[in-house]
Amino acid sequence: MALSSKSADEISELLDEYGIKHGPVVDSTRSLYEKKLKEAMAKGKRAKPSSDKTYYREEEVTYVYRTPVRSEASRDSGTYMRSRPEWSEREYEQETSYSDYSRSRPEYRGRDFVDEPYTYSSPSSYREFYSRSTPVKSDQEAPKSSRLVPLWVQLVFFLAVAVFLYVVFSSMETNESLIGLE
Amino acid sequence: MSSTSQKHRDFVAEPMGEKPVMALAGIGDVLGKRLADKGFDKAYVVLGQFLVLKKDEELFRDWLKEISGANAKQQGDCYGCLKEWCDAFL
């Protein structure tokens, strides 16, 4: 990176990127700023280029990516996610991470089976993500132990409640047999 | 007020006019010569540089060190002198 061949504006921009406070880049200040930039680069400070690369909080969001093995179940939990966002953090680790950030999807390289919390963002994004989830092969045995309440338990519970309600309802219809009410 | 040298007090007492660079606090013969060789032969030229560096202490000290090899005390004295002069007259 030949700093001396850069224009004053470019030097100024670089200084901003490295967060170096500076005045105008004129003849008498140029060498000072070039020196400062060299030091900053050598230290490997994090430079924040302004536009093209946007790092969307990579450390927060990890791509937990799996094939929805129990695809039907997954779909259910998909709706769960929408209605119960408070579950989404821990329980749905087998689901794809739904950060809607416009990063290219193939970023979920090695992080497939890591259970980490991810940022829950707008529902529309994971809908689209969903449709692409099938091509990726993943471990079929999702570590259920990491979920607070396993999915099948939720389903069983749901069915039990449904059955119970049905029983109550049907017993209200008929006068003669009061099943389960007394 | 922290102890300032007589040189400092003399400098900030009046507009600098055409005073040589060696009139600045912290700048003695050796440093003054080096600065003059680089074109900073008058105090107001150093003032110009001070202003272009937006009166920022760190930048000015770094610059002074780079151009003349001033040590930390000399840098501090010169910075303080110019800063106070600016506060009074600029």
Side-chain angles (χ1 to χ4, degrees), chain A residues 127-144:
Chain A
R127 187 63 71 83
E128 159 201 332
F129 214 135
Y130 242 81
S131 57
R132 298 199 223 171
S133 61
T134 36
V136 173
K137 305 221 173 15
S138 67
D139 188 2
Q140 305 254 333
E141 296 302 313
K144 295 190 246 301

Side-chain angles (χ1 to χ4, degrees), chain A residues 141-154:
Chain A
E141 296 302 313
K144 295 190 246 301
S145 56
S146 53
R147 297 163 64 94
L148 209 49
V149 177
L151 185 61
W152 65 272
V153 168
Q154 291 169 8

Side-chain angles (χ1 to χ4, degrees), chain A residues 83-102:
Chain A
S83 55
R84 306 190 208 198
E86 68 272 11
W87 284 17
S88 63
E89 286 289 298
R90 292 271 163 209
E91 276 125 278
Y92 299 92
E93 58 89 18
Q94 95 238 19
E95 308 298 341
T96 352
S97 165
Y98 300 128
S99 78
D100 76 316
Y101 309 113
S102 52

